[in-house]
Amino acid sequence: FTSFNLVISMLVALTTILVSFCLVGILVACMDREFGTVESLSVVVFVGFSIDYCLHLALAYQVRSGESFRDRVRNAVNNTGPSIFFAAMTTLISTTFLLFCRIAVFAHFGKVLAITTTLSILHAFCFFIPALLVFGRCASYVSTKCRSYLDRKVVPNTNTENEIHEHIIKDVTMA
């Protein structure tokens, strides 16, 4: 979970699922590939790539507390957006070497990596950020309620999120 915020965690998961569905659709429909072993392994491996960009944006959104949700979205895009964008560009540039490889598996891997990176960055900025703007108020409300519940019920007399994590880990390991 992203700092105990169920709404943002669900948005990140939904974005990842959408990227995975789009990737499978492109592999099967546009590239005329059968969904075989290489494709299934590619989808499993590239789920990690697809979650990366929106997870960084979600963390940047969550770190900024005390501001309105729109200011938090704006700051997340302004502060983290350029780094995420150029990370995606670096990945896309590095895949060009794989695209011209003579070994078919590597060339296919490069294509799928380029498609996944493109889909991930597009979904992070064109789906996840607008979804944060739509559900941001709800996410802030849920986050506030979860934190107040944890402060009252689970972890009395703690002030930091690290102490909450330590208390939960201690409870889990003792059970």
Side-chain angles (χ1 to χ4, degrees):
F1 289 102
T2 310
S3 299
F4 299 106
N5 194 321
L6 185 62
V7 174
I8 293 178
S9 298
M10 296 305 282
L11 289 175
V12 169
L14 180 62
T15 306
T16 305
I17 290 168
L18 289 173
V19 169
S20 299
F21 282 165
C22 288
L23 177 62
V24 170
I26 289 172
L27 285 175
V28 173
C30 297
M31 295 178 67
D32 279 337
R33 302 278 304 194
E34 290 185 19
F35 197 74
T37 306
V38 174
E39 287 75 19
S40 61
L41 287 174
S42 295
V43 170
V44 170
V45 168
F46 290 126
V47 166
F49 285 112
S50 66
I51 197 170
D52 194 34
Y53 303 126
C54 64
L55 193 59
H56 283 297
L57 287 168
L59 182 62
Y61 175 83
Q62 277 298 106
V63 168
R64 305 289 258 178
S65 60
E67 301 174 6
S68 73
F69 71 94
R70 289 175 193 229
D71 290 338
R72 291 166 66 187
V73 170
R74 185 179 300 114
N75 286 331
V77 171
N78 289 339
N79 295 333
T80 310
S83 300
I84 292 171
F85 177 76
F86 285 113
M89 292 303 107
T90 303
T91 303
L92 287 173
I93 291 169
S94 67
T95 59
T96 57
F97 296 106
L98 287 172
L99 295 176
F100 300 108
C101 189
R102 291 183 183 186
I103 302 172
V105 174
F106 291 137
H108 182 65
F109 182 80
K111 288 176 192 173
V112 175
L113 180 58
I115 292 168
T116 304
T117 303
T118 304
L119 288 172
S120 299
I121 199 72
L122 287 175
H123 278 82
F125 285 114
C126 299
F127 174 78
F128 182 72
I129 293 300
L132 269 182
L133 288 171
V134 171
F135 298 107
R137 184 169 292 148
C138 178
S140 297
Y141 176 77
V142 169
S143 179
T144 303
K145 289 297 180 185
C146 285
R147 286 177 191 269
S148 66
Y149 173 78
L150 287 171
D151 287 341
R152 269 193 336 261
K153 301 288 183 184
V154 178
V155 189
N157 301 324
T158 59
N159 296 325
T160 66
E161 193 170 305
N162 287 335
E163 291 173 349
I164 293 171
H165 289 287
E166 289 173 8
H167 182 74
I168 291 172
I169 290 170
K170 186 169 67 173
D171 282 351
V172 169
T173 55
M174 292 180 72

